Amino acid sequence: MSLGMYGDGGSMRGSGIYSQEVSYDEFDCYNCDKRNQEGEVSTDDWGRYIIECEFCSATYLESSLDEDRASDREDADYDAWRASQFD
Ligand SMILES: [Zn+2]
């Protein structure tokens, strides 16, 4: 995986080859109160994804792999370490 190498965006537009599956846990929709089972969504080329309620299509979470990684310091540190190895 070489995610994060194209964070400033644009050059890979529309290829689709960088999309990934993101798994999520079950959640209760804030809008219709129905329970969504755990599942997966596909990211776009930039690693962004939206989790929507399957019943009413309310947006439950809008995030990205980059944001997920930024929220996890250990991962970020690992990426920095790994990048230094390949530099
Ligand atoms: Zn809903």
Side-chain angles (χ1 to χ4, degrees):
M1 285 298 133
S2 60
L3 281 171
M5 303 300 286
Y6 50 95
D8 51 1
S11 57
M12 300 295 181
R13 175 179 292 277
S15 66
I17 61 174
Y18 290 97
S19 69
Q20 293 189 44
E21 298 292 303
V22 176
S23 60
Y24 56 89
D25 296 328
E26 65 179 18
F27 63 91
D28 293 325
C29 177
Y30 67 88
N31 188 49
C32 68
D33 275 342
K34 290 182 178 170
R35 169 145 302 183
N36 284 251
Q37 297 303 310
E38 62 185 27
E40 292 185 335
V41 293
S42 296
T43 71
D44 66 13
D45 291 348
W46 296 272
R48 293 190 292 247
Y49 61 92
I50 298 174
I51 299 172
E52 293 179 332
C53 174
E54 66 177 295
F55 303 101
C56 72
S57 296
T59 300
Y60 165 68
L61 177 65
E62 199 170 345
S63 189
S64 70
L65 298 176
D66 282 346
E67 286 180 47
D68 290 349
R69 191 162 47 223
S71 69
D72 186 333
R73 290 299 306 216
E74 283 191 40
D75 256 357
D77 289 344
Y78 174 74
D79 276 359
W81 171 83
R82 192 177 57 181
S84 71
Q85 302 304 299
F86 288 120
D87 203 344

